[in-house]
Amino acid sequence: EQQLQTLKLKQQQTNITLIVIALISVVVIAILLINRYRIMNRMKRQAELESMRQNIARDLHDDIGSTLSSINIMSQLAMKETGNGSVQLQKIAAYSSTMMESMSDMVWSISPRNDSLEQMVVKMKEFAAEILEPKNIQYDFSTDQSLSTISLDVEKRKNLFLIFKEAINNAAKYSEASNVNIHITREHGSLNMLITDNGNGFDANTTTSGNGLNNMRARAQAMKGRWQHQSEPGKGTSIAVKIPLT
């Protein structure tokens, strides 16, 4: 009888253990299924969002972009037919050209194909060459190899590129520099961009917002990042941006 009771007790313990294991297995499987559903749902929403972004970028390029291009071409032709053209035609040509450039940047920033930081660096290099080389300004563009693994959302990518664009335009138009250095690095979970030139510099206390300093600062703050500039007359200018990657 004692042996039978011992066997029954062991059998009960075994049954309890099996029931506990089964319950734990059910809970684990349920958690895995819920997580899988959430991941699949998130991936589906991401795919839908990317498809929508692609459609918007294509529509902007095909519809509005082509219309602006037509307006610019027609205004150029009208100016040729009337000599130098009227002031209104010159304004139309200038405004449409500016809008075409802005539209190109907008389409680029929306397209999901350009989410990687590597693609943004390619566009930055193209822009630097387009703006600096005609001015005979030498430039050095250095980046970390690890940047190829970084992806930025639309807002960060747009703001960072526009800060870069403003800094390069200012260096080309106002600095009278002969050399510009551009460094983009990754450090401790942050993305750092440093742009320096050896130009005339300026007095930051007396410079108006026409150089876009306030816009650059606002864009850095929108990315929850830090923006710094240093400049003195005759000592060049440096623009530094640090944004979190998390």
Side-chain angles (χ1 to χ4, degrees):
E1 290 180 357
Q2 289 179 352
Q3 290 178 350
L4 287 173
Q5 289 178 356
T6 302
L7 289 173
K8 287 181 180 180
L9 182 61
K10 289 183 178 180
Q11 185 65 39
Q12 289 175 354
Q13 291 176 345
T14 302
N15 292 338
I16 292 173
T17 302
L18 291 174
I19 292 171
V20 170
I21 292 173
L23 289 174
I24 293 175
S25 300
V26 169
V27 171
V28 171
I29 292 172
I31 293 173
L32 291 175
L33 289 175
I34 292 172
N35 285 337
R36 184 177 183 277
Y37 172 78
R38 289 178 176 175
I39 292 171
M40 294 297 293
N41 198 31
R42 190 182 302 116
M43 290 176 63
K44 182 180 178 181
R45 290 199 303 269
Q46 184 67 26
E48 291 174 351
L49 179 60
E50 290 188 0
S51 177
M52 182 178 66
R53 287 170 56 193
Q54 188 65 46
N55 290 334
I56 292 173
R58 184 173 58 249
D59 291 344
L60 286 173
H61 179 270
D62 294 345
D63 297 336
I64 301 178
S66 61
T67 301
L68 287 172
S69 180
S70 298
I71 292 172
N72 183 262
I73 292 172
M74 287 188 290
S75 62
Q76 296 286 349
L77 291 174
M79 284 193 295
K80 288 182 179 180
E81 292 177 356
T82 59
N84 292 328
S86 65
V87 176
Q88 287 78 10
L89 286 175
Q90 293 177 6
K91 287 183 178 180
I92 291 173
Y95 291 160
S96 61
S97 179
T98 301
M99 284 300 299
M100 287 170 60
E101 183 179 354
S102 298
M103 182 62 63
S104 177
D105 291 342
M106 189 182 301
V107 170
W108 173 82
S109 65
I110 292 175
S111 177
R113 293 177 298 177
N114 301 318
D115 282 348
S116 69
L117 186 58
E118 188 176 22
Q119 286 296 108
M120 188 182 73
V121 168
V122 171
K123 186 171 178 64
M124 285 178 167
K125 289 180 178 179
E126 291 175 352
F127 182 80
E130 179 183 347
I131 299 300
L132 299 176
E133 288 181 1
K135 297 275 189 178
N136 293 321
I137 299 176
Q138 301 295 320
Y139 66 94
D140 176 65
F141 202 124
S142 63
T143 61
D144 287 348
Q145 293 182 351
S146 61
L147 298 184
S148 60
T149 62
I150 299 174
S151 293
L152 296 177
D153 59 44
V154 176
E155 200 64 23
K156 281 186 178 180
R157 189 152 40 88
K158 181 189 73 173
N159 284 326
L160 186 62
F161 179 72
L162 290 177
I163 291 174
F164 170 82
K165 188 175 179 180
E166 182 70 27
I168 296 299
N169 273 327
N170 287 345
K173 292 179 180 179
Y174 308 115
S175 71
E176 296 185 9
S178 61
N179 189 64
V180 174
N181 293 309
I182 305 159
H183 302 284
I184 302 178
T185 58
R186 179 180 187 176
E187 183 180 12
H188 304 305
S190 296
L191 181 66
N192 304 322
M193 181 173 70
L194 176 64
I195 302 173
T196 60
D197 66 63
N198 63 346
N200 294 332
F202 59 90
D203 187 347
N205 296 321
T206 60
T207 300
T208 64
S209 60
N211 285 318
L213 298 178
N214 291 335
N215 289 337
M216 287 191 278
R217 183 184 296 108
R219 292 189 184 281
Q221 291 173 350
M223 296 184 287
K224 298 181 180 179
R226 291 187 297 173
W227 177 86
Q228 294 179 327
H229 73 92
Q230 294 181 348
S231 186
E232 294 182 25
K235 295 185 178 180
T237 301
S238 72
I239 301 291
V241 182
K242 183 176 184 179
I243 61 173
L245 290 174
T246 55

